[in-house]
Amino acid sequence: RKEVEQDPGPFNVPEGATVAFNCTYSNSASQSFFWYRQDCRKEPKLLMSVYSSGNEDGRFTAQLNRASQYISLLIRDSKLSDSATYLCVVRGWGNDMRFGAGTRLTVKP
Amino acid sequence: GAVVSQHPSWVICKSGTSVKIECRSLDFQATTMFWYRQFPKQSLMLMATSNEGSKATYEQGVEKDKFLINHASLTLSTLTVTSAHPEDSSFYICSAQAATSDTQYFGPGTRLTVL
């Protein structure tokens, strides 16, 4: 079983749609959780950290369910510029981060 | 945010040659640097973690004699792919983390093509 699993997609949605991505992780001792965004042939960029209480940043909402070892990302009012691959990232007690394979999103006009 | 650079951004080399990739933290001191590899349509895979002044810790399956890592200063880490072969062709990305932060900042990546 992979340490971090994501639905690979692709998700093709129209502008203005709401889209949700899910992620599960296998290591119950994981401490920190993140969503990164990666554009084609570019490095990943931090989108947001994920906290147990849930957190929101503009159109983006992240949720963490430790009991189910599940993380989600919700994007509201999708923009064309949201098209990218979204990476779920989990970190344990150490500094090493484990990446999911990513979910590809394409927002169409 | 913090800036991490990588050099070169892309390289094409012949099979059997060695390639050195540099990763620099430009505006902070990186006590820990990480090297990742990403094959097409796959996620980043951690290759090794290096702490300044110490030997790198390699992930299982990564040959330390093939992928030489040097982290001699708080702003520079290098990855040398020795005797590169076509199967080493990949996107190599470094990240850097300061002692006072749990955030990793990624470099722009180096695309290696071995002919």
Side-chain angles (χ1 to χ4, degrees):
Chain A
R1 185 186 169 187
K2 292 180 183 176
E3 289 188 67
V4 181
E5 296 210 54
Q6 290 182 251
D7 180 344
F11 284 64
N12 298 309
V13 303
E15 268 188 292
T18 295
V19 61
F21 303 140
N22 302 320
C23 169
T24 57
Y25 60 95
S26 60
N27 185 352
S28 59
S30 299
Q31 295 297 307
S32 307
F33 310 88
F34 311 88
W35 282 101
Y36 275 74
R37 168 198 169 123
Q38 186 175 26
D39 292 289
C40 189
R41 295 179 173 260
K42 300 282 188 180
E43 77 276 22
K45 292 190 188 288
L46 179 65
L47 182 64
M48 59 198 305
S49 301
V50 189
Y51 306 111
S52 296
S53 55
N55 48 303
E56 189 174 308
D57 183 1
R59 298 181 293 108
F60 299 85
T61 301
Q63 295 275 355
L64 166 65
N65 184 322
R66 284 188 182 271
S68 302
Q69 294 178 206
Y70 169 93
I71 306 159
S72 66
L73 175 68
L74 183 77
I75 305 176
R76 289 182 299 278
D77 189 22
S78 301
K79 311 288 185 194
L80 295 176
S81 57
D82 294 334
S83 297
T85 296
Y86 290 83
L87 305 173
C88 175
V89 185
V90 172
R91 182 164 65 198
W93 283 107
N95 287 318
D96 58 298
M97 296 166 81
R98 304 296 167 175
F99 286 77
T103 299
R104 204 158 142 215
L105 171 67
T106 301
V107 181
K108 299 187 174 178
Chain B
V3 179
V4 176
S5 70
Q6 272 184 251
H7 178 80
S9 55
W10 59 269
V11 57
I12 301 173
C13 68
K14 291 183 179 178
S15 187
T17 59
S18 293
V19 176
K20 180 186 279 189
I21 302 170
E22 293 185 351
C23 176
R24 292 181 187 272
S25 56
L26 298 184
D27 52 0
F28 69 102
Q29 293 188 325
T31 49
T32 307
M33 285 189 170
F34 305 84
W35 286 96
Y36 296 84
R37 180 167 55 181
Q38 186 176 32
F39 292 107
K41 298 193 177 182
Q42 295 186 29
S43 189
L44 278 74
M45 296 298 294
L46 180 65
M47 298 175 69
T49 302
S50 73
N51 291 297
E52 185 263 339
S54 303
K55 286 185 179 179
T57 301
Y58 289 81
E59 293 297 300
Q60 193 172 10
V62 178
E63 298 174 57
K64 62 180 181 180
D65 294 328
K66 179 167 181 66
F67 299 98
L68 303 178
I69 292 172
N70 184 290
H71 189 172
S73 79
L74 286 171
T75 59
L76 173 65
S77 176
T78 60
L79 167 69
T80 301
V81 183
T82 61
S83 186
H85 290 285
E87 59 265 29
D88 297 323
S89 299
S90 187
F91 191 43
Y92 291 85
I93 307 177
C94 74
S95 70
Q97 182 175 326
T100 54
S101 170
D102 63 356
T103 300
Q104 289 186 27
Y105 297 95
F106 285 85
T110 297
R111 194 160 298 280
L112 170 64
T113 301
V114 184
L115 301 177

